[in-house]
Amino acid sequence: MKPSYMESLERIKEEHSEMSKHLSQQKSELEKINMEKENMTRSFMTYAEVSSTMRADLKRAEEMNKRLQDFIMQTLNPLLSPEHQASCLAALESFKSASSPRENGNGAALPPGFPPGAAGMLGMFPNMPFGMNPAMSQLFNQFAQGNGADAVAGSSGGSDAKKPKLEEPDDGELEIDVTNDDNPTTANGAAHKNGRDSTNSVASSGASTPSIASNSAKGRQQQPPGNLQSLEQMSFLAGLNPNMLRQAGGFNLFNDPHTSARLAAAMNQMGGRPAYSFKIVDNGIPTPTTFPPDAQKGPGIPTGLKKRMELNHGEVVCAATIARDNTRVYTGGKGCVKVWDITESDLTSTSTVSRPCIATLECLKDNYIRSCKLFQDGKTLLIGGEASTVALWDLTTQMKTLDLETESQACYALALSPDEKLLFACLADGNILIYDIHNKEKVCTLPGHQDGASCLDLSNDGTKLWSGGLDNSVRCWDMSQRVELAKHDFNSQVFSLGCCPDDEWVAVGMENNNVEVLSTSGKEKYQLTQHESCVLSLKFAHSGKFFISTGKDNALNAWRTPYGASLFQLKENTSVLSCDISFDDSLIVTGSGEKKATLYSIDY
């Protein structure tokens, strides 16, 4: 039977749609190829420039060597006795022989002092700089050829090791993975079979981390593949930041658009501490940050922490907050929020105190609490977590006054407007819910993050809302018009976020271990790479002079705003899932996968 006109038209439409999709894919592939070409060209130019500089230095060294020899022959020899002149001439000939260029296997001359074991390097990569640290030479030896990915993959074998593997799509749920919190000795992330896989799972594994989407929840390797671990060790010896290799994921480093700049920076850092703070401007190339002399000292700049109190919650602590008057701490675990009195602790002593809680708020039906927001008067607490409701509690009567249905499986973060009339809920379905607490009505929903919204914070003046998500983006929203003002795209999922009180900077904790510090008024930003695993929480001091970040690497890092000079680092036994700083910047509380919160006093 001959197809009708409408059937033919529908078929043509379908074919046109398929061809359009194919064209779009081809354009995307072309853009990726062009980007890789540009990155490789930039890398080549960097290596060529370094090679030229090193060759010039070598030529100057040879000239100095020659002048020294002439000086010895013309000045010192005549002053020596005849019996010593023969010894001097013999020593000089030995020096000439040792310092003269040697031939490598390809007939190319090697400069003085070049490691004999790296003789094949010149033929393989002509523009490689001379005089290189042996560890750096070995590192370059693995990546200089086109099959650098094979060297990294090592025994993982096969062509599949040369390209990223596409994993099955996830439901986008932000999970906490607590597979090994009961065993602190395994806190750095080995795989475990007893981990919880449900969307309501909490976990703090090798410390608790949000196991998110396709990058983490499906059994991502914790250790580098093949011989990448040894390359990390070599990179440290050579002055490279090991996080750069981890982020490469076992693939060719030239695929990283920032590799050339970081390698050049690493060469400048040889013999000293590797750079961990990088400044990125309009050209997108990170350069090591130059810190001012007072970067780690001055009024309001902390020098360390002292542990003052352990709050044994009994469950993984995914949320923690300090009352404005420093009298109470609230910790959120599974199905409840516990209240702790910290006024009885002598915070000037050097001993650590452990005390029982004074109240327990049963909420969210045995689901994990993910966020607690305390009102300024300390009488009302807003609670959200791995449930479809957000609860409002009167702390005076210890009674629930509001049970807000969000129509989403989970709420991962909460914020309050400066007048405390509006609440903002960051939902697992990717939406940002705005709710009028006083009138008890929904104001609107901001649709944004396709794979789920994971964190949010409100600017100090309440005019802008910042949100981060599992779609690798951070978005800025205008609260007067309730529209999106800006979007920042990253190559990693966003786990945590905080706004500086001066509203000039926003710090973002990433799944790829980095902390990104964005300028709210321009394109300048900083990238901090000191964490060794994903960054789970982040909080600015109320002075705005510093901020802290915590992660799955069990670490709490304190950074100077905005450039990220490291003020101090503290390690706990398991992942640090949450943190808060008191209103007067004198206390810090952390929640961990060790089923407790820890209260610290800040030293200045």
Side-chain angles (χ1 to χ4, degrees):
M1 184 177 180
K2 186 176 181 180
S4 65
Y5 171 76
M6 293 304 298
E7 291 175 344
S8 300
L9 182 60
E10 287 299 326
R11 181 176 58 80
I12 292 173
K13 286 182 178 179
E14 292 177 359
E15 291 178 354
H16 179 267
S17 176
E18 290 297 326
M19 293 178 67
S20 298
K21 290 181 181 179
H22 182 69
L23 178 60
S24 177
Q25 292 175 353
Q26 293 296 320
K27 288 182 178 179
S28 177
E29 291 295 328
L30 180 61
E31 290 177 358
K32 291 180 181 178
I33 292 173
N34 289 335
M35 184 177 296
E36 290 180 1
K37 178 182 176 182
E38 181 181 351
N39 294 337
M40 293 183 69
T41 301
R42 188 184 295 116
S43 300
F44 176 80
M45 295 302 295
T46 301
Y47 299 146
E49 182 179 352
V50 173
S51 174
S52 176
T53 302
M54 298 300 290
R55 288 178 186 275
D57 291 342
L58 174 62
K59 185 175 182 180
R60 286 195 296 269
E62 290 176 343
E63 291 175 354
M64 292 179 62
N65 183 17
K66 184 178 180 180
R67 288 198 296 270
L68 178 60
Q69 294 174 12
D70 293 341
F71 173 79
I72 292 174
M73 294 297 296
Q74 297 175 9
T75 306
L76 296 182
N77 266 356
L79 301 178
L80 297 176
S81 60
E83 60 271 16
H84 290 137
Q85 287 186 14
S87 299
C88 181
L89 290 175
L92 184 59
E93 289 301 321
S94 299
F95 178 72
K96 288 181 180 180
S97 175
S99 0
S100 61
R102 301 185 297 274
E103 298 293 320
N104 63 19
N106 299 322
L110 287 172
F114 200 83
M121 182 74 75
L122 290 180
M124 179 183 67
F125 203 80
N127 292 318
M128 188 61 59
F130 295 134
M132 191 177 291
N133 180 311
M136 178 69 86
S137 299
Q138 191 172 359
L139 181 65
F140 271 84
N141 191 25
Q142 307 234 17
F143 288 98
Q145 294 179 345
N147 61 348
D150 292 332
V152 177
S155 60
S156 58
S159 60
D160 293 338
K162 300 181 183 180
K163 58 185 179 181
K165 295 181 179 180
L166 297 178
E167 301 185 18
E168 292 298 323
D170 204 306
D171 57 5
E173 287 292 331
L174 179 63
E175 302 174 3
I176 301 178
D177 171 23
V178 238
T179 51
N180 66 338
D181 286 320
D182 293 330
N183 184 7
T185 60
T186 59
N188 289 325
H192 292 268
K193 296 182 180 180
N194 61 339
R196 301 168 61 98
D197 296 325
S198 68
T199 57
N200 291 331
S201 76
V202 164
S204 88
S205 96
S208 321
T209 172
S211 264
I212 304 187
S214 59
N215 288 340
S216 300
K218 301 299 182 181
R220 181 178 180 182
Q221 287 181 323
Q222 297 295 328
Q223 297 297 330
N227 63 347
L228 188 56
Q229 184 69 31
S230 61
L231 289 183
E232 289 187 6
Q233 295 170 356
M234 287 188 295
S235 71
F236 177 79
L237 295 174
L240 279 171
N241 188 337
N243 278 339
M244 184 178 70
L245 285 179
R246 295 193 192 96
Q247 294 169 24
F251 310 112
N252 197 333
L253 285 181
F254 292 113
N255 289 336
D256 183 353
H258 301 149
T259 298
S260 59
R262 290 190 177 183
L263 289 178
M267 295 174 192
N268 294 329
Q269 292 283 339
M270 282 185 183
R273 180 182 181 182
Y276 58 86
S277 173
F278 297 88
K279 185 176 182 179
I280 304 175
V281 289
D282 292 341
N283 60 11
I285 300 177
T287 56
T289 304
T290 302
F291 299 137
D294 62 346
Q296 296 169 311
K297 58 185 178 180
I301 306 303
T303 58
L305 297 179
K306 288 183 181 178
K307 183 189 290 188
R308 295 308 187 192
M309 184 179 288
E310 290 185 350
L311 311 176
N312 295 310
H313 187 100
E315 292 285 352
V316 173
V317 179
C318 306
T321 189
I322 305 174
R324 195 180 183 92
D325 59 1
N326 290 358
T327 61
R328 299 284 189 272
V329 165
Y330 301 84
T331 59
K334 185 177 182 180
C336 72
V337 170
K338 292 188 177 182
V339 186
W340 310 83
D341 183 358
I342 62 172
T343 58
E344 298 180 24
S345 173
D346 180 7
L347 297 182
T348 62
S349 70
T350 58
S351 60
T352 299
V353 181
S354 179
R355 304 194 64 84
C357 71
I358 60 174
T360 299
L361 310 178
E362 302 291 343
C363 47
L364 299 193
K365 300 178 181 179
D366 292 331
N367 295 306
Y368 279 97
I369 312 300
R370 299 298 294 273
S371 181
C372 296
K373 204 69 180 179
L374 192 64
F375 282 52
Q376 293 184 19
D377 60 7
K379 298 179 180 179
T380 308
L381 185 67
L382 194 61
I383 301 169
E386 297 183 352
S388 60
T389 59
V390 172
L392 195 66
W393 280 74
D394 185 328
L395 297 176
T396 304
T397 62
Q398 295 186 17
M399 297 292 292
K400 186 188 300 184
T401 59
L402 175 66
D403 219 357
L404 170 62
E405 186 67 38
T406 64
E407 300 179 356
S408 178
Q409 290 182 335
C411 169
Y412 296 129
L414 294 165
L416 282 171
S417 60
D419 59 7
E420 298 183 334
K421 293 182 179 179
L422 299 177
L423 75 83
F424 303 86
C426 175
L427 305 180
D429 60 9
N431 294 327
I432 309 296
L433 172 65
I434 304 178
Y435 186 82
D436 188 328
I437 301 175
H438 283 208
N439 297 322
K440 296 186 177 180
E441 63 180 10
K442 177 181 174 181
V443 176
C444 71
T445 299
L446 304 177
H449 301 279
Q450 297 178 357
D451 297 329
S454 57
C455 51
L456 84 171
D457 198 10
L458 201 64
S459 65
N460 195 47
D461 58 11
T463 61
K464 294 181 178 64
L465 179 73
W466 292 80
S467 63
L470 308 186
D471 58 352
N472 300 3
S473 74
V474 168
R475 300 167 190 260
C476 178
W477 307 86
D478 183 345
M479 287 296 95
S480 61
Q481 302 294 326
R482 299 193 176 100
V483 295
E484 183 180 308
L485 289 177
K487 178 184 176 186
H488 301 266
D489 291 312
F490 299 93
N491 59 1
S492 171
Q493 294 172 327
V494 178
F495 280 9
S496 53
L497 179 149
C499 295
C500 184
D502 62 11
D503 292 339
E504 294 184 4
W505 302 94
V506 174
V508 184
M510 314 294 292
E511 191 268 344
N512 68 357
N513 314 344
N514 290 345
V515 174
E516 307 275 351
V517 185
L518 311 177
S519 169
T520 61
S521 58
K523 296 183 179 180
E524 175 186 358
K525 71 176 181 179
Y526 294 90
Q527 186 178 85
L528 315 179
T529 61
Q530 204 161 17
H531 275 286
E532 297 177 358
S533 189
C534 49
V535 183
L536 302 179
S537 69
L538 191 147
K539 183 73 175 180
F540 271 94
H542 292 81
S543 68
K545 294 183 178 181
F546 69 96
F547 63 97
I548 60 174
S549 62
T550 71
K552 189 179 177 182
D553 56 354
N554 311 351
L556 181 153
N557 282 307
W559 314 90
R560 181 69 185 269
T561 307
Y563 40 77
S566 180
L567 302 178
F568 58 83
Q569 183 184 77
L570 178 144
K571 284 277 191 176
E572 295 195 0
N573 292 328
T574 57
S575 345
V576 187
L577 302 175
S578 56
C579 65
D580 192 25
I581 303 178
S582 63
F583 186 75
D584 62 357
D585 294 337
S586 66
L587 301 174
I588 288 178
V589 65
T590 62
S592 76
E594 205 174 6
K595 301 182 179 181
K596 70 178 182 179
T598 307
L599 184 69
Y600 301 92
S601 61
I602 305 177
D603 292 335
Y604 289 95

